[in-house]
């Protein structure tokens, strides 16, 4: 049963694996599909492997890479890997890039099918991007309106930075929920939930603002452990470092 809106559902150490086959099959008349949106700036080294890995996520049938004013071969490599590429001529930051990606997906949704779920991913995940399958499944099976990635509980670095502590306390003060990974960029949302979070906060407040907006508006969130590996090439504004975010 889907949790009541306005509640977080904590941290899921695992999700129901029986949902994977349903996710792959979908409905013959109106299948639920997923669009991955990847914002990238000078991520030419890692973007191709990230895109290829996303293609293995059940339900993903559209990959949109927003090249945020890169001066390397980010766009070319993403396109060769099979992504739809949209380019900003100058860097606008991740908030603007995300909004561009959302608009591109909306234009490619079919009117007679449910709107695609939106999977927001960093550009430098490489092969570990497939870990987002757990986020997709959590939303696809109705566990929550938004699934946020969190490191495994055994990760000693969880929750140690000043930025994370500040973000966590801000979310707790505004909503009563205390997330494990308040700055997680990897998320899967329903179209309805994402629309409620637009326009996104600019600079480094995207994740905190999104979480607060969703909970205040009555949507449900859940954290799902994912073992993502950031390879270090994501330089889109809003994805730089935790000190700057703080």
């Amino acid at each position: 049963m889907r949790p009541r809106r306005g509640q977080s559902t904590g941290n899921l150490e695992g999700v129901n694996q029986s949902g994977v086959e349903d996710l792959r099959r979908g409905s013959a008349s109106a299948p639920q599909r997923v669009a991955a949106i990847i914002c990238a700036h000078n991520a030419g080294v890692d973007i191709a492997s990230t895109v290829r890995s996303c293609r293995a996520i059940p339900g993903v049938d559209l990959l949109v890479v927003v090249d945020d004013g890169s001066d390397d071969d980010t766009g070319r490599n993403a396109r060769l890997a099979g992504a739809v590429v949209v380019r900003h001529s100058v860097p606008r930051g991740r908030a603007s890039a995300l909004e561009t990606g959302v608009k591109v997906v909306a234009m490619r949704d079919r009117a007679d099918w449910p709107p695609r779920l939106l999977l927001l991913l960093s550009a430098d995940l490489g092969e570990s991007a497939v870990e987002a399958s757990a986020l997709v499944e959590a939303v696809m099976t109705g566990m929550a309106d938004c699934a946020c990635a969190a490191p495994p509980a055994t990760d000693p670095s969880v929750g140690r930075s000043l930025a994370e502590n500040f973000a966590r306390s801000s979310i707790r003060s505004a909503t009563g929920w205390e997330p494990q990974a308040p700055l997680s960029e990897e998320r899967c949302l329903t179209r309805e939930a994402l629309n409620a979070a637009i326009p996104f906060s600019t600079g480094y407040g995207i994740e905190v603002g999104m979480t607060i907006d969703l909970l205040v508006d009555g949507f449900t969130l859940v954290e799902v452990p994912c073992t993502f590996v950031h390879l270090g090439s994501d330089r889109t504004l809003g994805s730089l470092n935790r000190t700057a975010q703080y």
Side-chain angles (χ1 to χ4, degrees):
M1 181 176 67
R2 173 170 291 207
R4 181 173 60 84
R5 281 191 170 185
Q7 294 179 331
S8 65
T9 54
N11 182 290
L12 297 182
E13 287 299 331
V15 292
N16 184 4
Q17 295 303 311
S18 66
V20 173
E21 286 305 316
D22 291 336
L23 195 159
R24 289 196 179 101
R25 288 194 299 267
S27 165
S29 59
Q32 177 64 74
R33 298 302 186 208
V34 183
I37 300 175
I38 302 171
C39 303
H41 176 74
N42 289 348
V45 174
D46 302 318
I47 190 63
S49 61
T50 301
V51 170
R52 286 193 295 267
S53 183
C54 285
R55 296 175 68 177
I57 298 173
V60 171
D61 72 332
L62 175 61
L63 294 105
V64 177
V65 171
V66 182
D67 182 356
D68 191 40
S70 299
D71 54 18
D72 66 355
D73 53 3
T74 293
R76 177 179 179 274
N77 291 348
R79 189 176 293 107
L80 290 175
V84 173
V85 177
V86 183
R87 175 174 168 79
H88 289 170
S89 57
V90 296
R92 300 182 190 174
R94 198 162 66 87
S96 178
L98 281 176
E99 290 176 6
T100 295
V102 170
K103 292 175 183 176
V104 172
V105 173
M107 289 188 293
R108 289 172 174 261
D109 277 344
R110 286 182 48 164
D112 56 337
W113 286 8
R116 287 180 174 90
L117 303 182
L118 288 306
L119 179 61
L120 313 182
L121 297 175
S122 301
D124 61 352
L125 297 176
E127 294 181 357
S128 73
V130 74
E131 287 281 311
S133 299
L135 302 178
V136 171
E137 187 181 353
V139 178
M140 187 80 77
T141 57
M143 293 181 181
D145 300 301
C146 175
C148 308
T154 55
D155 188 336
S157 66
V158 172
R160 296 293 178 87
S161 75
L162 290 174
E164 287 175 317
N165 289 337
F166 182 72
R168 187 178 297 109
S169 65
S170 297
I171 294 170
R172 181 179 62 244
S173 296
T175 70
W177 184 42
E178 188 168 340
Q180 177 188 0
L183 297 176
S184 176
E185 298 175 7
E186 286 68 47
R187 301 178 176 218
C188 184
L189 306 85
T190 65
R191 165 73 63 177
E192 184 183 7
L194 189 136
N195 285 346
I198 290 179
F200 298 120
S201 301
T202 57
Y204 301 98
I206 299 175
E207 283 70 39
V208 175
M210 186 185 301
T211 297
I212 292 173
D213 285 345
L214 292 179
L215 288 175
V216 168
D217 285 349
F219 293 93
T220 55
L221 282 80
V222 66
E223 290 188 306
V224 180
C226 297
T227 310
F228 288 119
V229 177
H230 290 273
L231 301 175
S233 68
D234 188 0
R235 294 293 182 267
T236 310
L237 178 61
S239 304
L240 297 179
N241 58 67
R242 295 311 188 210
T243 301
Q245 285 180 322
Y246 180 75

